[in-house]
Amino acid sequence: MDKPITSASTSAEEVIAWGKAHQIDTCFDRADKLKPCPVGETGACCRVCHMGPCRLIGKNAEEDARGVCGATLATVAARNFVRMIAAGTSAHSDHARDMANTLLATAKGEAKDFKITDVKKLYSVAGHLEIEFEGREVNEVAKDVATKFLEDFGRQNGTINYIRRAPEKTRERWEKTGIVPRGIDREVVEAMHRTSIGVDHEADNLLSHGLRMSLANGWGGSMISTDITDILFGTPKPVQAEASFGIFKEDEVNLIVHGHEPTLSEMIVDVASSKEMEDYAKTKGAKGVNIGGMCCTANEILMRHGIPTAGGFTNQELGIMTGLIDVMSVDVQCIMPAITELSTKFHTKIVTTSPKAKIDNAIHVEYDEHHAKDTAKEIVKMAIDNFPNRTKKGSVITKKSPLIAGFSHEYIEYMLGGKWRASFRPLNDAIMAGRIRGVVGVVGCDNPRVTATGIHKFLIRELIKNDVLVVTTGCSSAACATEGYLTPEMALENAGPGLKEVCETTGMPPILHLGACVDNTRILTIASAMAAEGGLSDEIGGMPAVGIAPEWMSEKAISIGCYFAASGVPVIMGGESPVGASKEIKKIMTETWLERYRGALHFEPDPEKILSMTMDYIDNAREGLKLRKYEPGKFGAERVLMDMADRRQIKGAAHAGVGGINESEA
Ligand code: XCC
Ligand code: SF4
C-alpha cells in the first residue's frame, strides 16, 4: 500500500503504532481498506429517485450520459452538492436553534443553571437587531434577542436579520442575483424540494440556491450560535492552555467532552471543579477530575476556560486507545460511531447526551437545558466511579503542547487598538504597507484520507513564513494546538519579517485561534469591519484574503466554503472535488461566482498548488487595490531576533490583556 504515514502528528503516530501492535483498527486503517466510490466521489451518482440510482459515467459522460429521467451530469452533480450544503447548513443551524432556545429559557428563568454572562455582548447584539436595551432589564432584552433570532429560522418572507451586518456592497451583490436568504429552515426545505426528482435541473440555478442557503448558515445559524454562546458564556479572550494526549492525567479522573455544543460541557466544567466532586473523586483514589475536550466542544470550552484539548477529529479513537479516558461524553456532530466498539477494549464509557445523536452500545444520559447541572453531575459521577476500573493497558503518551487560544472579533479589535480606540485600523495599515501580505483562514476538518493534520501544518507554516496572517478554527486549530503552533514562541520563529514585526508590536501571535467551526462567522464580521475601516476593499470581495479547508470531510465544511465564496472570499478546499465529474459546475464555481461575488470555490488535492493559488489570489487582490507591491524581507529584516525573555513578555501581555473586554461580566 502506498500510504505508510497516517498522521502528521508524532503523538498520534505513537498511538496508531501501538494500536497496530495490538490489532486495533482505527479510521486510518478503515480509510486504507475502504477506497472512496469513484462514481460518488465526483458527484456522478444520482439516487434521488428509485428509477435509479443512476451512475452517469463513461468517457463522454458530460455530453452523453443521462439518467432515466434524462438528467445531465451537471444537474446530478449540482443536486448532490446542494444537498451537501443543506446538510451542513442544517447541522450548524439546528445547533444554533438549541442555543436560541437555551437563551430564551435562561431569560425566562426556566433554565436556572444558566445566566447571561456577557451583558455587553448582549447589548451589542441587541443593537444589531434593533432591539431597545437602554434602561431595560437584562433578561427582558435577552428574551427579545432570543425571540428575534428564533424568528429567523421559520421566517417566510423578508430576510434574516444579520444580513445587515454585511458590507453594503456585498449585500447588493446578493440582492442583484437574488440570493438573500429568507428563513433558515425555509432555505433548507426549498433545497430539498428543488433537488427532488423532476424539479430544478439548471445547474446554475440550483447552485445559486445553494449559495443562498449557505448564507443562511453563515450570516444566520452559525453567527447566531456564536453570538448567543458569547452572551451566555462570555466572549473569548486569550487564554493559555495545553493540547494533545499528554493532557490526560494518570492520577486524575479524565472526562472528555466531544462534539460541538457548549451548553452541557460548560456545566460539566463547572460541576467538575466543585468541592463535592473533588472530594468524591478522592474517595475513589483519584486526585481530582480532569476535563479535556475533543473537536469543537473542545474549542468552545478551551476559548472560555482554558480547558485543554486532546485534539481534533482523527484523535477521537486514539484518545480512547491511551486507556486513560474514564468517560467520553458526546453531544452532536463529528462523533465516530466506531468509538463505542473501541471502548469495549478498554474501561472507557461512552455517554451520548443528545436525543438527536444516539450510538449503539453507548450509555444515554439525556441532556436538556432545564436540568443541565443534574445531567452534568450524573456524568461527572459516572466518570469518577469508572476511575477504579482503569487497567494499565493502553498506549503510552508522551506529549502535550502549550497554546494560546481565544481570539474573538472583539478581542482582536481591542488588541490592535486598545481599550478606548479599539479598531482594525492597525491591521488594515499593516496590510496596506505590505508588512502583512494578506489574511488566510485555514479551517475545517482533519482527514485520515490524507496525512491527517499534515496539510494544515504545511500550509500554515508556509503562509506565515510569507508574511500572511493566519486565522484558524475547528479541527485546523486543534492540529495547530497539538503541535505547539499556537504559541508566540513557536510561531514567531517561523513568521516572515513583516508579520513578525506586527506581531511584536501588537503582542499578537501570527496564528490566531478564533474558535469552533460556527465561529468562522467571526471571520465574516472581522472582514466586514476591515471593509468599513477603509483603505482596503469596501466590500468583503477584493480583500487580500483567502479561505482554505485543506482536509475537509464534513458537509458542514461545504456549507462554510459556500458562504465564504458568496461573501466574496476565494475558497480552496482540499481533496478530490465532489463535483469533479462536471466541468460546467467547476466553471460556475470558479468563474461565474468570481464575477458575481468576487469569491470562488476550488477543489485542489495538491498542497503545493493550494499554496500557490492562495498567494496568487492575495497578490492579485493587492494589485487590484493598488496597494504597495509586497516585497519579501522588506520589513523587519534588520531587526535582531527577540530573545526568549521578550517573547515571554508578549505572551504575558496577551494574557494580561484579558481584563480589557467584558467589563460588564462583573
Ligand atoms: Fe468536525 Fe468542528 Fe470538521 Fe472538526 S472541523 S471534523 S466538522 S469538528 Ni468543523
Ligand atoms: Fe436517475 Fe433521474 Fe432518478 Fe436521478 S432523478 S435517480 S438521474 S432517474
Side-chain angles (χ1 to χ4, degrees), residues 44-56 66-72 75-76 79 195-198 201:
C45 173
C46 183
R47 36 179 220 78
V48 305
C49 91
H50 211 50
M51 292 187 286
C54 299
R55 310 192 310 164
L56 275 57
R66 297 288 180 269
V68 175
C69 67
T72 63
T75 302
V76 168
R79 272 198 302 226
T195 55
S196 67
I197 161 82
H201 296 98

PDB file of all heavy atoms in Angstrom, residues 44-56 66-72 75-76 79 195-198 201, ligand 2:
ATOM      1  N   ALA A  44     -21.181  11.912  -9.547  1.00  0.00           N
ATOM      2  CA  ALA A  44     -21.830  11.387 -10.753  1.00  0.00           C
ATOM      3  C   ALA A  44     -22.929  10.361 -10.474  1.00  0.00           C
ATOM      4  O   ALA A  44     -23.478   9.779 -11.403  1.00  0.00           O
ATOM      5  CB  ALA A  44     -20.776  10.773 -11.678  1.00  0.00           C
ATOM      6  N   CYS A  45     -23.228  10.107  -9.220  1.00  0.00           N
ATOM      7  CA  CYS A  45     -24.251   9.114  -8.896  1.00  0.00           C
ATOM      8  C   CYS A  45     -25.508   9.814  -8.397  1.00  0.00           C
ATOM      9  O   CYS A  45     -25.454  10.576  -7.434  1.00  0.00           O
ATOM     10  CB  CYS A  45     -23.717   8.170  -7.817  1.00  0.00           C
ATOM     11  SG  CYS A  45     -24.965   7.040  -7.189  1.00  0.00           S
ATOM     12  N   CYS A  46     -26.618   9.591  -9.049  1.00  0.00           N
ATOM     13  CA  CYS A  46     -27.866  10.178  -8.580  1.00  0.00           C
ATOM     14  C   CYS A  46     -28.728   9.104  -7.954  1.00  0.00           C
ATOM     15  O   CYS A  46     -28.963   8.056  -8.551  1.00  0.00           O
ATOM     16  CB  CYS A  46     -28.627  10.836  -9.732  1.00  0.00           C
ATOM     17  SG  CYS A  46     -30.142  11.635  -9.146  1.00  0.00           S
ATOM     18  N   ARG A  47     -29.208   9.377  -6.752  1.00  0.00           N
ATOM     19  CA  ARG A  47     -30.153   8.432  -6.160  1.00  0.00           C
ATOM     20  C   ARG A  47     -31.327   9.170  -5.527  1.00  0.00           C
ATOM     21  O   ARG A  47     -31.812   8.806  -4.482  1.00  0.00           O
ATOM     22  CB  ARG A  47     -29.473   7.481  -5.173  1.00  0.00           C
ATOM     23  CG  ARG A  47     -28.353   8.069  -4.350  1.00  0.00           C
ATOM     24  CD  ARG A  47     -27.802   7.022  -3.400  1.00  0.00           C
ATOM     25  NE  ARG A  47     -27.488   7.582  -2.099  1.00  0.00           N
ATOM     26  CZ  ARG A  47     -28.362   7.859  -1.149  1.00  0.00           C
ATOM     27  NH1 ARG A  47     -29.637   7.614  -1.321  1.00  0.00           N
ATOM     28  NH2 ARG A  47     -27.974   8.378  -0.009  1.00  0.00           N
ATOM     29  N   VAL A  48     -31.759  10.210  -6.213  1.00  0.00           N
ATOM     30  CA  VAL A  48     -32.894  10.927  -5.656  1.00  0.00           C
ATOM     31  C   VAL A  48     -34.233  10.298  -6.042  1.00  0.00           C
ATOM     32  O   VAL A  48     -35.268  10.721  -5.546  1.00  0.00           O
ATOM     33  CB  VAL A  48     -32.891  12.458  -5.971  1.00  0.00           C
ATOM     34  CG1 VAL A  48     -31.594  13.098  -5.520  1.00  0.00           C
ATOM     35  CG2 VAL A  48     -33.172  12.744  -7.416  1.00  0.00           C
ATOM     36  N   CYS A  49     -34.242   9.320  -6.949  1.00  0.00           N
ATOM     37  CA  CYS A  49     -35.494   8.595  -7.144  1.00  0.00           C
ATOM     38  C   CYS A  49     -35.189   7.125  -7.367  1.00  0.00           C
ATOM     39  O   CYS A  49     -34.039   6.736  -7.551  1.00  0.00           O
ATOM     40  CB  CYS A  49     -36.314   9.179  -8.297  1.00  0.00           C
ATOM     41  SG  CYS A  49     -35.977   8.419  -9.902  1.00  0.00           S
ATOM     42  N   HIS A  50     -36.212   6.334  -7.353  1.00  0.00           N
ATOM     43  CA  HIS A  50     -35.991   4.885  -7.409  1.00  0.00           C
ATOM     44  C   HIS A  50     -36.125   4.300  -8.814  1.00  0.00           C
ATOM     45  O   HIS A  50     -36.226   3.097  -8.993  1.00  0.00           O
ATOM     46  CB  HIS A  50     -36.928   4.165  -6.435  1.00  0.00           C
ATOM     47  CG  HIS A  50     -36.330   2.908  -5.889  1.00  0.00           C
ATOM     48  ND1 HIS A  50     -35.066   2.860  -5.343  1.00  0.00           N
ATOM     49  CD2 HIS A  50     -36.803   1.643  -5.827  1.00  0.00           C
ATOM     50  CE1 HIS A  50     -34.797   1.620  -4.970  1.00  0.00           C
ATOM     51  NE2 HIS A  50     -35.837   0.861  -5.247  1.00  0.00           N
ATOM     52  N   MET A  51     -36.068   5.169  -9.818  1.00  0.00           N
ATOM     53  CA  MET A  51     -35.803   4.649 -11.162  1.00  0.00           C
ATOM     54  C   MET A  51     -34.309   4.384 -11.245  1.00  0.00           C
ATOM     55  O   MET A  51     -33.848   3.622 -12.071  1.00  0.00           O
ATOM     56  CB  MET A  51     -36.221   5.657 -12.230  1.00  0.00           C
ATOM     57  CG  MET A  51     -37.715   5.878 -12.311  1.00  0.00           C
ATOM     58  SD  MET A  51     -38.181   6.916 -13.709  1.00  0.00           S
ATOM     59  CE  MET A  51     -37.683   8.548 -13.189  1.00  0.00           C
ATOM     60  N   GLY A  52     -33.587   5.096 -10.390  1.00  0.00           N
ATOM     61  CA  GLY A  52     -32.142   4.897 -10.296  1.00  0.00           C
ATOM     62  C   GLY A  52     -31.847   3.969  -9.162  1.00  0.00           C
ATOM     63  O   GLY A  52     -32.702   3.144  -8.845  1.00  0.00           O
ATOM     64  N   PRO A  53     -30.719   4.069  -8.486  1.00  0.00           N
ATOM     65  CA  PRO A  53     -29.662   5.057  -8.708  1.00  0.00           C
ATOM     66  C   PRO A  53     -29.074   5.013 -10.123  1.00  0.00           C
ATOM     67  O   PRO A  53     -28.877   3.929 -10.667  1.00  0.00           O
ATOM     68  CB  PRO A  53     -28.596   4.667  -7.680  1.00  0.00           C
ATOM     69  CG  PRO A  53     -29.300   3.857  -6.657  1.00  0.00           C
ATOM     70  CD  PRO A  53     -30.429   3.189  -7.359  1.00  0.00           C
ATOM     71  N   CYS A  54     -28.826   6.205 -10.667  1.00  0.00           N
ATOM     72  CA  CYS A  54     -28.243   6.318 -11.989  1.00  0.00           C
ATOM     73  C   CYS A  54     -26.794   6.768 -11.859  1.00  0.00           C
ATOM     74  O   CYS A  54     -26.522   7.778 -11.218  1.00  0.00           O
ATOM     75  CB  CYS A  54     -29.010   7.334 -12.821  1.00  0.00           C
ATOM     76  SG  CYS A  54     -30.741   6.904 -13.064  1.00  0.00           S
ATOM     77  N   ARG A  55     -25.898   6.016 -12.497  1.00  0.00           N
ATOM     78  CA  ARG A  55     -24.481   6.394 -12.451  1.00  0.00           C
ATOM     79  C   ARG A  55     -24.101   6.967 -13.803  1.00  0.00           C
ATOM     80  O   ARG A  55     -24.075   6.254 -14.801  1.00  0.00           O
ATOM     81  CB  ARG A  55     -23.636   5.176 -12.109  1.00  0.00           C
ATOM     82  CG  ARG A  55     -24.198   4.458 -10.878  1.00  0.00           C
ATOM     83  CD  ARG A  55     -23.276   3.444 -10.310  1.00  0.00           C
ATOM     84  NE  ARG A  55     -22.760   2.517 -11.306  1.00  0.00           N
ATOM     85  CZ  ARG A  55     -21.702   1.738 -11.107  1.00  0.00           C
ATOM     86  NH1 ARG A  55     -21.061   1.785  -9.962  1.00  0.00           N
ATOM     87  NH2 ARG A  55     -21.299   0.908 -12.039  1.00  0.00           N
ATOM     88  N   LEU A  56     -23.831   8.239 -13.824  1.00  0.00           N
ATOM     89  CA  LEU A  56     -23.558   8.907 -15.100  1.00  0.00           C
ATOM     90  C   LEU A  56     -22.057   8.882 -15.369  1.00  0.00           C
ATOM     91  O   LEU A  56     -21.349   9.854 -15.106  1.00  0.00           O
ATOM     92  CB  LEU A  56     -24.111  10.346 -15.082  1.00  0.00           C
ATOM     93  CG  LEU A  56     -25.589  10.464 -15.461  1.00  0.00           C
ATOM     94  CD1 LEU A  56     -26.477   9.623 -14.565  1.00  0.00           C
ATOM     95  CD2 LEU A  56     -26.054  11.905 -15.426  1.00  0.00           C
ATOM     96  N   ARG A  66     -27.059  10.226 -19.522  1.00  0.00           N
ATOM     97  CA  ARG A  66     -28.297  10.771 -18.977  1.00  0.00           C
ATOM     98  C   ARG A  66     -28.877   9.773 -17.982  1.00  0.00           C
ATOM     99  O   ARG A  66     -28.763   8.564 -18.162  1.00  0.00           O
ATOM    100  CB  ARG A  66     -29.347  10.996 -20.085  1.00  0.00           C
ATOM    101  CG  ARG A  66     -28.961  12.012 -21.145  1.00  0.00           C
ATOM    102  CD  ARG A  66     -29.005  13.448 -20.601  1.00  0.00           C
ATOM    103  NE  ARG A  66     -28.620  14.409 -21.629  1.00  0.00           N
ATOM    104  CZ  ARG A  66     -27.362  14.839 -21.833  1.00  0.00           C
ATOM    105  NH1 ARG A  66     -26.380  14.369 -21.097  1.00  0.00           N
ATOM    106  NH2 ARG A  66     -27.101  15.718 -22.771  1.00  0.00           N
ATOM    107  N   GLY A  67     -29.551  10.284 -16.964  1.00  0.00           N
ATOM    108  CA  GLY A  67     -30.279   9.407 -16.062  1.00  0.00           C
ATOM    109  C   GLY A  67     -31.551   8.923 -16.737  1.00  0.00           C
ATOM    110  O   GLY A  67     -31.894   9.386 -17.832  1.00  0.00           O
ATOM    111  N   VAL A  68     -32.254   8.020 -16.095  1.00  0.00           N
ATOM    112  CA  VAL A  68     -33.508   7.521 -16.676  1.00  0.00           C
ATOM    113  C   VAL A  68     -34.453   8.682 -16.979  1.00  0.00           C
ATOM    114  O   VAL A  68     -35.137   8.719 -17.998  1.00  0.00           O
ATOM    115  CB  VAL A  68     -34.169   6.490 -15.718  1.00  0.00           C
ATOM    116  CG1 VAL A  68     -35.530   6.054 -16.243  1.00  0.00           C
ATOM    117  CG2 VAL A  68     -33.259   5.282 -15.534  1.00  0.00           C
ATOM    118  N   CYS A  69     -34.470   9.682 -16.107  1.00  0.00           N
ATOM    119  CA  CYS A  69     -35.337  10.845 -16.315  1.00  0.00           C
ATOM    120  C   CYS A  69     -34.775  11.808 -17.357  1.00  0.00           C
ATOM    121  O   CYS A  69     -35.441  12.750 -17.762  1.00  0.00           O
ATOM    122  CB  CYS A  69     -35.555  11.586 -15.003  1.00  0.00           C
ATOM    123  SG  CYS A  69     -34.048  12.370 -14.383  1.00  0.00           S
ATOM    124  N   GLY A  70     -33.536  11.588 -17.750  1.00  0.00           N
ATOM    125  CA  GLY A  70     -32.905  12.497 -18.713  1.00  0.00           C
ATOM    126  C   GLY A  70     -31.978  13.505 -18.063  1.00  0.00           C
ATOM    127  O   GLY A  70     -31.437  14.374 -18.746  1.00  0.00           O
ATOM    128  N   ALA A  71     -31.783  13.412 -16.748  1.00  0.00           N
ATOM    129  CA  ALA A  71     -30.919  14.387 -16.047  1.00  0.00           C
ATOM    130  C   ALA A  71     -29.490  14.305 -16.555  1.00  0.00           C
ATOM    131  O   ALA A  71     -28.962  13.221 -16.803  1.00  0.00           O
ATOM    132  CB  ALA A  71     -30.951  14.126 -14.544  1.00  0.00           C
ATOM    133  N   THR A  72     -28.877  15.481 -16.717  1.00  0.00           N
ATOM    134  CA  THR A  72     -27.487  15.528 -17.163  1.00  0.00           C
ATOM    135  C   THR A  72     -26.542  15.410 -15.965  1.00  0.00           C
ATOM    136  O   THR A  72     -26.966  15.525 -14.809  1.00  0.00           O
ATOM    137  CB  THR A  72     -27.173  16.872 -17.850  1.00  0.00           C
ATOM    138  OG1 THR A  72     -27.344  17.907 -16.874  1.00  0.00           O
ATOM    139  CG2 THR A  72     -28.089  17.113 -19.040  1.00  0.00           C
ATOM    140  N   THR A  75     -26.632  18.490 -13.800  1.00  0.00           N
ATOM    141  CA  THR A  75     -27.792  18.501 -12.898  1.00  0.00           C
ATOM    142  C   THR A  75     -27.545  17.598 -11.700  1.00  0.00           C
ATOM    143  O   THR A  75     -27.763  17.980 -10.548  1.00  0.00           O
ATOM    144  CB  THR A  75     -29.057  18.005 -13.634  1.00  0.00           C
ATOM    145  OG1 THR A  75     -29.287  18.844 -14.757  1.00  0.00           O
ATOM    146  CG2 THR A  75     -30.266  18.008 -12.729  1.00  0.00           C
ATOM    147  N   VAL A  76     -27.092  16.387 -11.993  1.00  0.00           N
ATOM    148  CA  VAL A  76     -26.894  15.401 -10.930  1.00  0.00           C
ATOM    149  C   VAL A  76     -25.843  15.883  -9.928  1.00  0.00           C
ATOM    150  O   VAL A  76     -26.065  15.864  -8.714  1.00  0.00           O
ATOM    151  CB  VAL A  76     -26.498  14.033 -11.543  1.00  0.00           C
ATOM    152  CG1 VAL A  76     -26.002  13.070 -10.477  1.00  0.00           C
ATOM    153  CG2 VAL A  76     -27.690  13.435 -12.293  1.00  0.00           C
ATOM    154  N   ARG A  79     -27.143  18.840  -7.927  1.00  0.00           N
ATOM    155  CA  ARG A  79     -28.121  18.414  -6.909  1.00  0.00           C
ATOM    156  C   ARG A  79     -27.418  17.792  -5.707  1.00  0.00           C
ATOM    157  O   ARG A  79     -27.749  18.094  -4.556  1.00  0.00           O
ATOM    158  CB  ARG A  79     -29.085  17.388  -7.525  1.00  0.00           C
ATOM    159  CG  ARG A  79     -30.286  18.004  -8.184  1.00  0.00           C
ATOM    160  CD  ARG A  79     -31.405  17.016  -8.393  1.00  0.00           C
ATOM    161  NE  ARG A  79     -31.053  15.856  -9.194  1.00  0.00           N
ATOM    162  CZ  ARG A  79     -31.825  15.384 -10.197  1.00  0.00           C
ATOM    163  NH1 ARG A  79     -32.957  15.986 -10.512  1.00  0.00           N
ATOM    164  NH2 ARG A  79     -31.464  14.314 -10.846  1.00  0.00           N
ATOM    165  N   THR A 195     -34.169  19.806  -5.277  1.00  0.00           N
ATOM    166  CA  THR A 195     -33.283  18.718  -5.697  1.00  0.00           C
ATOM    167  C   THR A 195     -34.005  17.379  -5.757  1.00  0.00           C
ATOM    168  O   THR A 195     -33.387  16.357  -6.007  1.00  0.00           O
ATOM    169  CB  THR A 195     -32.083  18.593  -4.734  1.00  0.00           C
ATOM    170  OG1 THR A 195     -32.572  18.433  -3.399  1.00  0.00           O
ATOM    171  CG2 THR A 195     -31.179  19.817  -4.786  1.00  0.00           C
ATOM    172  N   SER A 196     -35.308  17.364  -5.499  1.00  0.00           N
ATOM    173  CA  SER A 196     -36.028  16.090  -5.620  1.00  0.00           C
ATOM    174  C   SER A 196     -36.335  15.836  -7.100  1.00  0.00           C
ATOM    175  O   SER A 196     -36.176  16.737  -7.936  1.00  0.00           O
ATOM    176  CB  SER A 196     -37.296  16.113  -4.760  1.00  0.00           C
ATOM    177  OG  SER A 196     -38.218  17.054  -5.270  1.00  0.00           O
ATOM    178  N   ILE A 197     -36.758  14.647  -7.403  1.00  0.00           N
ATOM    179  CA  ILE A 197     -36.940  14.252  -8.805  1.00  0.00           C
ATOM    180  C   ILE A 197     -37.866  15.216  -9.561  1.00  0.00           C
ATOM    181  O   ILE A 197     -38.948  15.543  -9.089  1.00  0.00           O
ATOM    182  CB  ILE A 197     -37.489  12.792  -8.915  1.00  0.00           C
ATOM    183  CG1 ILE A 197     -38.124  12.488 -10.302  1.00  0.00           C
ATOM    184  CG2 ILE A 197     -38.546  12.469  -7.878  1.00  0.00           C
ATOM    185  CD1 ILE A 197     -37.152  12.132 -11.344  1.00  0.00           C
ATOM    186  N   GLY A 198     -37.337  15.678 -10.684  1.00  0.00           N
ATOM    187  CA  GLY A 198     -38.185  16.422 -11.607  1.00  0.00           C
ATOM    188  C   GLY A 198     -38.463  17.872 -11.267  1.00  0.00           C
ATOM    189  O   GLY A 198     -39.486  18.411 -11.669  1.00  0.00           O
ATOM    190  N   HIS A 201     -33.448  21.748 -12.663  1.00  0.00           N
ATOM    191  CA  HIS A 201     -32.451  20.985 -13.418  1.00  0.00           C
ATOM    192  C   HIS A 201     -31.322  21.829 -13.968  1.00  0.00           C
ATOM    193  O   HIS A 201     -30.416  21.317 -14.611  1.00  0.00           O
ATOM    194  CB  HIS A 201     -33.131  20.219 -14.558  1.00  0.00           C
ATOM    195  CG  HIS A 201     -34.100  19.195 -14.062  1.00  0.00           C
ATOM    196  ND1 HIS A 201     -35.460  19.435 -14.005  1.00  0.00           N
ATOM    197  CD2 HIS A 201     -33.912  17.961 -13.544  1.00  0.00           C
ATOM    198  CE1 HIS A 201     -36.063  18.367 -13.491  1.00  0.00           C
ATOM    199  NE2 HIS A 201     -35.153  17.468 -13.196  1.00  0.00           N
TER     200      HIS A 201
HETATM  201 FE1  SF4 B   2     -31.877   8.675 -12.189  1.00  0.00          FE
HETATM  202 FE2  SF4 B   2     -33.215  10.931 -12.753  1.00  0.00          FE
HETATM  203 FE3  SF4 B   2     -33.992   9.366 -10.699  1.00  0.00          FE
HETATM  204 FE4  SF4 B   2     -31.702  10.723 -10.538  1.00  0.00          FE
HETATM  205  S1  SF4 B   2     -33.750  11.572 -10.656  1.00  0.00           S
HETATM  206  S2  SF4 B   2     -32.037   8.584  -9.941  1.00  0.00           S
HETATM  207  S3  SF4 B   2     -30.989  10.678 -12.650  1.00  0.00           S
HETATM  208  S4  SF4 B   2     -33.977   8.860 -12.870  1.00  0.00           S
END
